[in-house]
């Protein structure tokens, strides 16, 4: 069996443009080495990026990633969600159990149209698998009924007779084949931020459907599913650093605001598991001595592309908003408070603006090239050991 390269794309909301920029540098280099990823796994905005690349797996990497980057630079808030007093009120009533079908505070029908139009022919994903351009596409969601992670997989593992990984009891991950193939609902479910975006109903059996929400609630950086799908090396792209920030010597003397606490929640749900998983991956490689073992276990080589420090994307988001003048995003930044980096970081998740996308993509390009250069300095193409702090 030929070695498989995987690509893991973390959830990032508006920071998905950072991933697109990083991929425009990373994937052409991997393709030139004949190591282009054929197992694509994504959560939330990462699921959109993964699905897009899966539908273009038959094209050259530079052309596919340029098209993905152009997509991000062409959309704004109105292509993602709609805002109105009535839709917000209807969403709140539904969340309080006073309405009908479950829905979010904002209208995401524009996102459905944007994603559907961007992918075009969803059956091309299956065609690329059948033609050998792609091994698997996996989209991470969270079951609204059980709270477990459900990974929808088009394609499968190298082991015949077991096209999907078994249930992961330790991490609570279920694997399921999308009935009728991967489609827009699976991607929208992966990105359905609870309360803000509506949950998505997906067919799960002959006569059954279930509701799903954002996969980032439990598995924002899906490294484990990529490994279960049989990869031997994996490129990981995330919009957060893979290390914790150093301890702060100064403590704020003010009472924490809502944006402080919300940011800490986001970091606990999105960034902290990423750091833990990265150190676990490198730790297992170390235990294996960097060599394949007689029992078949082998180290997973990896590359990691992410900002070098927390706050870089937030700072760029704030600069963009300050240049926009009086706008809905300027008003949002005022509502988030005046705590500098805290509100800036939150803003970077919500700033669906082409100017911010361009800034984020440029940073992604820089960080991807930086990672390739750092690894090359050690006369390697991939990492095995932990990322230097």
């Amino acid at each position: 069996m030929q070695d498989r390269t995987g690509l893991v794309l973390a959830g990032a909301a508006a920071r998905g443009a950072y991933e697109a920029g990083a991929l425009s540098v990373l994937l052409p280099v991997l393709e030139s080495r004949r190591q282009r990823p054929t197992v694509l796994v994504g959560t939330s905005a990462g699921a959109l990026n993964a699905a897009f690349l899966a539908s273009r797996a038959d094209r050259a990497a530079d052309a596919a990633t340029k098209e993905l980057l152009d997509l991000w630079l062409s959309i704004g808030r109105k292509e993602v969600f709609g805002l109105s007093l009535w839709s917000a009120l209807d969403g709140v009533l539904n969340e309080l159990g006073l309405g009908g079908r479950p829905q979010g505070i904002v209208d995401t029908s524009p996102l459905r149209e944007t994603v559907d139009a961007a992918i075009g022919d969803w059956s091309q994903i299956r065609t690329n698998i059948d033609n050998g351009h792609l091994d698997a596409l996996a989209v991470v969601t969270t079951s609204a009924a059980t709270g477990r992670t459900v990974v929808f997989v088009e394609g499968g593992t190298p082991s015949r007779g077991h096209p999907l990984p078994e249930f992961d009891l330790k991490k609570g991950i279920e694997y399921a084949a999308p009935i009728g193939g991967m489609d827009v609902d699976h991607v929208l479910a992966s990105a359905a931020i609870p309360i803000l975006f509506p949950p998505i109903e997906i067919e799960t059996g002959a006569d059954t459907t279930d509701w799903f929400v954002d996969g980032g609630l439990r598995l924002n950086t899906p490294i484990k599913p990529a490994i279960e799908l049989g990869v031997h090396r994996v490129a990981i792209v995330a919009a957060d650093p893979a290390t914790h920030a150093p301890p702060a010597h100064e403590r704020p003397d003010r009472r924490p605001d809502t944006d402080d606490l919300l940011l800490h929640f986001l970091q606990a749900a999105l960034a902290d598991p990423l750091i833990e998983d990265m150190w676990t991956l490198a730790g297992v490689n170390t235990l294996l001595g960097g060599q394949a073992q007689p029992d078949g276990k082998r180290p997973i080589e990896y590359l990691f592309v992410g900002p070098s420090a927390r706050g870089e994307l937030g700072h760029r988001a704030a600069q963009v908003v300050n240049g926009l003048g009086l706008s809905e995003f300027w008003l949002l930044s005022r509502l988030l408070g005046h705590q500098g980096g805290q509100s800036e970081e939150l803003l970077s998740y919500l700033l669906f603006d082409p100017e911010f996308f361009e800034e984020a993509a440029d940073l992604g390009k820089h960080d991807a090239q930086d990672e390739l250069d750092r690894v090359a300095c050690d006369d390697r193409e991939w990492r095995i050991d932990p990322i230097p702090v």
Side-chain angles (χ1 to χ4, degrees), residues 164-322:
L164 296 179
E166 297 180 356
F167 172 65
D168 188 326
L169 185 62
K170 182 178 179 181
K171 287 188 172 289
I173 301 174
E174 299 179 26
Y175 296 88
I179 295 177
M182 200 76 74
D183 62 24
V184 65
D185 283 331
H186 299 94
V187 172
L188 291 182
S190 184
I193 304 170
I195 300 177
L196 186 62
F197 288 6
I200 302 297
E201 189 176 19
I202 294 177
E203 184 179 1
T204 54
D207 298 305
T208 59
T209 61
D210 290 307
W211 294 91
F212 297 90
V213 295
D214 198 321
L217 289 180
R218 290 191 176 272
L219 193 63
N220 195 57
T221 309
I223 299 173
K224 185 65 181 297
I227 294 174
E228 290 296 321
L229 288 167
V231 303
H232 301 89
R233 64 182 73 87
V234 59
I236 302 159
V237 183
D240 288 290
T243 57
H244 288 287
H249 297 292
E250 296 182 3
R251 303 293 180 182
D253 55 2
R254 59 177 176 79
R255 182 177 180 177
D257 289 343
T258 301
D259 54 317
D260 294 316
L261 303 178
L262 181 56
L263 181 61
H264 292 323
F265 170 79
L266 284 174
Q267 290 175 344
L270 307 183
D272 291 356
L274 161 65
I275 297 170
E276 180 181 347
D277 288 346
M278 291 302 302
W279 281 93
T280 298
L281 175 63
V284 171
N285 287 346
T286 301
L287 288 174
L288 295 175
Q291 301 292 328
Q293 303 298 307
D295 61 1
K297 294 181 180 178
R298 57 181 291 176
I300 304 295
E301 300 176 311
Y302 73 95
L303 292 170
F304 177 81
V305 178
S308 59
R310 201 175 304 279
E312 290 191 20
L313 282 166
H315 181 61
R316 293 184 181 226
Q319 287 181 320
V320 169
V321 168
N322 289 337

Side-chain angles (χ1 to χ4, degrees), residues 103-140:
Q103 62 188 59
I105 292 176
V106 300
D107 173 22
T108 55
S109 56
L111 179 60
R112 175 178 292 274
E113 295 177 5
T114 298
V115 173
D116 223 3
I119 301 296
D121 182 7
W122 288 88
S123 67
Q124 185 63 39
I125 295 173
R126 184 73 242 182
T127 299
N128 287 338
I129 292 172
D130 293 339
N131 291 340
H133 298 296
L134 184 71
D135 288 316
L137 167 65
V139 169
V140 181

Side-chain angles (χ1 to χ4, degrees), residues 1 71 75 85 97 114 121 226 332 341 357 365 387:
M1 182 190 71
L71 168 64
I75 63 177
L85 177 61
T114 298
D121 182 7
L332 175 62
F357 290 158
K365 293 176 184 179
I387 296 173

Side-chain angles (χ1 to χ4, degrees), residues 86-101 103 105:
W86 292 115
S87 65
L89 179 60
D90 193 27
V92 170
L93 290 175
N94 274 279
E95 294 300 330
L96 294 175
L98 302 177
R101 290 169 61 87
Q103 62 188 59
I105 292 176

Side-chain angles (χ1 to χ4, degrees), residues 23-71:
L23 292 167
S24 70
V25 171
L26 185 61
L27 291 196
V29 172
L30 296 182
E31 184 176 64
S32 70
R33 300 174 182 171
R34 298 186 179 181
Q35 296 174 339
R36 181 172 174 176
T38 59
V39 174
L40 311 182
V41 189
T43 300
S44 191
L48 165 60
N49 290 336
F52 186 95
L53 292 174
S55 71
R56 269 70 170 176
D58 57 326
R59 305 183 187 182
D62 57 351
T65 54
K66 181 182 184 303
E67 195 175 350
L68 175 62
L69 187 54
D70 288 344
L71 168 64

